[in-house]
């Protein structure tokens, strides 16, 4: 029997131990990138007159536009990560949205990686660009795996947040469970059959032998024993139970 389809909101197949390290690293990198782009634009604006005299007005404006576009793309990636984090916390993050988001982010950072390699002057710059690109490619691979399992119907809504399908007991499919249930029902029916033994109908007549008279059960009258006289009167103690 195939597992039930994944329903967004019932559970979350995105494991925190996998996505949180990626998100933390990527958010830190993107915040630093935004700060660096902001500093570059501020520096160009402050020295705009001198730069225009040295490199020309068109070159300076083109540089500002390029940095602004890079800053906008980084900000877009950061917003997409924040949206995914919020949706994951509310258990509304769907595999399709998560995959599309990572495709867009990875595409943007592949372009940044190519530009960084072309303009790199040191090996450290290239290594840093590779590490940043790996963080986006790794999350894209994980998103692809989750979406593939979603398409196959392997994401169980009753998995309790880990996305794994619960194992099916083969004894149920082979009919042993039904046989055990039938046996238990039969045993219970045997125990539930009324017994021929007669029990007293009241807690007060325990230990009193009933007397059968004309199909009517009667019990002997209680026996009283004299107690010592007190003040000229006798008080009796009822040692046996009364008639019900």
């Amino acid at each position: 029997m195939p597992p039930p389809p994944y329903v967004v909101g019932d559970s979350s197949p995105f494991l925190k131990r996998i996505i949180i390290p990626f998100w933390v690293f990527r958010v830190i990198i993107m915040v630093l990138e935004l700060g660096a782009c902001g500093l570059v634009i501020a520096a160009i604006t402050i020295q705009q007159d001198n730069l225009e005299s040295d490199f020309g007005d068109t070159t300076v404006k083109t540089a500002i536009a390029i940095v602004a576009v890079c800053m906008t793309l980084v900000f877009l990636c950061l917003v997409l990560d924040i949206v995914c984090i919020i949706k994951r916390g509310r258990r509304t993050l769907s595999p399709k949205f998560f995959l599309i988001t990572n495709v867009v982010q990875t595409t943007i950072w592949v372009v940044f990686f190519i530009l960084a390699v072309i303009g790199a002057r040191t090996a450290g710059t290239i290594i840093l660009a590779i590490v940043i690109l790996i963080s986006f490619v790794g999350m894209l691979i994980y998103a692809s795996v989750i979406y593939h399992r979603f398409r196959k119907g392997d994401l169980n809504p009753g998995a309790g947040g880990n996305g794994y399908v619960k194992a099916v007991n083969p004894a149920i499919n082979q009919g042993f469970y039904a046989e055990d249930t039938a046996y238990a029902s039969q045993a219970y029916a045997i125990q539930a059959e009324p017994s021929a033994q007669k029990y007293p109908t009241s807690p007060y007549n325990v230990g009193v032998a009933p007397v059968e008279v004309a199909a009517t059960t009667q019990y002997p009258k209680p026996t009283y024993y004299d107690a010592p006289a007190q003040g000229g009167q006798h008080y009796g103690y009822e040692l046996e139970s009364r008639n019900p």
Side-chain angles (χ1 to χ4, degrees), residues 7 21 34-35 56 59 70 123-126 142 157 169 177-178 181 198 207-208 213 217 229 243:
V7 179
L34 289 176
T59 304
C70 293
T125 304
I126 298 177
Y142 181 68
N169 187 358
Y177 179 78
T181 304
K198 295 183 179 180
V208 180
V213 179
T217 303
N243 272 332

Side-chain angles (χ1 to χ4, degrees), residues 6 12-32 74 76-95 97-103 105-106 109 131-143 146 161:
Y6 168 71
S12 180
F14 307 101
L15 301 180
K16 293 181 180 180
R17 64 176 179 269
I18 295 178
I19 59 178
I20 288 180
F22 280 105
W23 276 336
V24 170
F25 178 77
R26 284 163 38 154
V27 168
I28 293 175
I29 291 298
M30 287 186 284
V31 169
L32 293 177
V74 173
L76 175 62
C77 293
L78 179 61
V79 170
L80 291 176
D81 265 354
I82 293 175
V83 171
C84 288
I85 293 172
I86 295 174
K87 292 175 73 67
R88 171 59 180 85
R90 296 181 177 180
R91 298 183 181 274
T92 57
L93 181 60
S94 64
F97 179 83
F98 188 61
L99 177 62
I100 294 175
T101 298
N102 281 274
V103 168
Q105 292 174 316
T106 305
W109 282 95
V131 172
I132 296 174
L133 182 63
I134 288 175
S135 67
F136 285 89
V137 174
M139 187 73 91
L140 176 62
I141 294 173
Y142 181 68
I146 294 296

Side-chain angles (χ1 to χ4, degrees), residues 92-177:
T92 57
L93 181 60
S94 64
K96 185 176 182 180
F97 179 83
F98 188 61
L99 177 62
I100 294 175
T101 298
N102 281 274
V103 168
V104 173
Q105 292 174 316
T106 305
T107 303
I108 292 174
W109 282 95
V110 166
V111 175
F112 287 164
F113 174 76
I114 295 174
L115 295 176
V117 171
I118 293 175
R121 297 181 180 180
T122 61
T125 304
I126 298 177
I127 294 175
L128 180 60
I130 292 175
V131 172
I132 296 174
L133 182 63
I134 288 175
S135 67
F136 285 89
V137 174
M139 187 73 91
L140 176 62
I141 294 173
Y142 181 68
S144 302
V145 172
I146 294 296
Y147 184 73
H148 178 67
R149 291 175 55 191
F150 171 72
R151 290 287 302 272
K152 291 177 60 179
D154 291 343
L155 296 182
N156 192 344
N162 54 16
Y164 291 101
V165 180
K166 295 181 179 180
V168 179
N169 187 358
I172 298 178
N173 296 334
Q174 297 176 5
F176 296 113
Y177 179 78

